[in-house]
Structure formats: C-alpha cells, structure tokens
Amino acid sequence: MPRHECRSKVLAKLTNARCEIEDALNLSIPAARYDPVVIPETARNRLSAMIDALNGMLRQIEGSQ
C-alpha cells in the first residue's frame, strides 16, 4: 500500500474515533437540570482531553506530509 494511501486511512480512522468520542461526550451532557448523569464529570473531562489529543495527533500527521 502506498505511503499516502496508508496515511489517508490512518487519518480517516483517527478522525472517525474523534467524532465518535465527541458524539458520546455530547450525549452524556445532561440537557436539563434534573436529567440523570450518564457519565461523571471527571470522565467527561477525560473524554474532552482525548479529543484534544486526537486533534493534536491529526495536526501532527497532516503536517508531516
């Protein structure tokens, strides 16, 4: 597999992973005051940090082309 094709596939997988984590984070935020807490705030903070880390990795990989 050519290098640029492999890089594109890696970028796509990481982008999809970031989108899935963002979706999970958005679903876990209570919409109303009395909605149940699905994921504790500490876990939501970790998910947010994961999104930031994935964004950094994506920028790094894209910049190394």
Side-chain angles (χ1 to χ4, degrees):
M1 176 181 312
R3 181 180 163 101
H4 69 280
E5 186 178 329
C6 184
R7 180 178 296 188
S8 294
K9 286 186 177 193
V10 168
L11 287 171
K13 292 282 188 183
L14 291 173
T15 300
N16 286 339
R18 183 196 62 205
C19 290
E20 291 294 329
I21 294 171
E22 285 175 342
D23 288 347
L25 182 60
N26 289 333
L27 288 172
S28 72
I29 297 171
R33 182 177 178 176
Y34 297 108
D35 285 350
V37 175
V38 177
I39 298 175
E41 186 176 349
T42 55
R44 288 196 311 266
N45 292 341
R46 288 181 60 201
L47 288 173
S48 184
M50 292 168 110
I51 292 167
D52 291 341
L54 282 169
N55 283 332
M57 278 189 260
L58 287 165
R59 280 192 300 272
Q60 183 178 5
I61 293 168
E62 289 170 339
S64 69
Q65 292 181 355

